[in-house]
Amino acid sequence: MAIPERRTKRILWRNKMQREQNQSTQLPCQARPTISLANRFSALKHRLQGKPNVRPIGAYPSSIIDSQGCEFGYEMFYHVPYAYHLAKIGCLQRTVSCLGTECFYFFSPDHHERYDRRQFVKYMDSIAQQPHESPDANRWEPPNFAVHYRNKIELNFPKPLLLVFNKYNIEWDHPPINFLSKPFLDRVVQKASDRFSIVYLRPTSHIVHDHMPVGNLNEKEQLREQGVVLAEELYENYRHISFNEFQLCLLANSQHRISVQGGAAYMNALFPGQLMLLHRYGGEQLHGNYVDFPRMGVTDFTVHNNEFDMLDRLDYFKCSARNAA
């Protein structure tokens, strides 16, 4: 039976509108930002200001991501996810950062390790970001480090892996504040060593130092005697990769982690699993940065202001390990 002409026109019109609608919804995903005249003038202005690595493209602050040697946590929180997003849309030109950071930018077409020391940066030009601001979700996408680094090296631990990240350095021109104490570490070993293989990380010589002097907690000898694996000693078996890449491999193979406020906390947040964090002082709670941690990849995240609460939480880690075994 022939279809009436009016109905045929209506069907053709509806199909045309549907095609146009599909094209309009797909365009933003397919469109690649281009360098406009305004972008060129902005790049020239930044070059004259001594910032040659700021090269805007479309609505993006820059196609070159330069960390400026900023603090490690800010780089993990801001620069790496922004650079990865640019790489996914085919707009990342180059990444510039500190020594030993190539592993964080495995997706970069051209990575330069320019800085040998970290510092506090008030404004991060290539991402148009100030510290503690919430990152723009439209141009922020953390890479899947867990998948990329899970099988990079062979790790043979008899039990589920518990990583303990610590630090002991001057903070805000004051003596150490955010650190895990020796009595706390002793209690962690007593409570968890029967269920976990514990690896302890308080790096000193294998990382790029920042502007805050590093102290000595004098805890490692006792931990070694208690059967805890010290990360720097384990690393001697994997010297063919950088220490930062070694840390990423450990994180990719661990579902249970303890850390402290600072750069290691941000790195931990890029991996799924349970993360328990000690925060005595710092801007993260004041500015709400920890709210963004689940967006980074961690699946079970708690913040504690004292070590007593953390020891109680450790029992939940034990239950989780038993269920996973």
Side-chain angles (χ1 to χ4, degrees), residues 162-163 251 254 256-258 268 271-272 274-276 298 317:
L162 172 62
L163 301 180
L251 285 162
S254 171
H256 305 88
R257 305 184 297 275
I258 299 172
N268 270 269
F271 290 82
Q274 293 181 297
L275 172 59
M276 180 166 54
V298 64
F317 272 27

Side-chain angles (χ1 to χ4, degrees), residues 78-96:
Y78 296 114
H79 294 86
V80 171
Y82 177 42
Y84 183 66
H85 172 74
L86 277 182
K88 287 196 67 176
I89 63 175
C91 293
L92 182 62
Q93 181 180 348
R94 186 187 311 144
T95 50
V96 183

Side-chain angles (χ1 to χ4, degrees), residues 207-226:
I207 61 173
V208 176
H209 295 301
D210 60 17
H211 55 292
M212 295 299 180
V214 176
N216 191 356
L217 190 57
N218 296 312
E219 82 287 20
K220 293 185 177 181
E221 182 61 33
Q222 178 179 333
L223 291 173
R224 185 189 297 110
E225 293 175 355
Q226 292 175 300

Side-chain angles (χ1 to χ4, degrees), residues 181-192:
S181 68
K182 292 175 67 174
F184 173 80
L185 293 171
D186 181 63
R187 289 290 294 141
V188 168
V189 175
Q190 293 179 27
K191 290 172 69 77

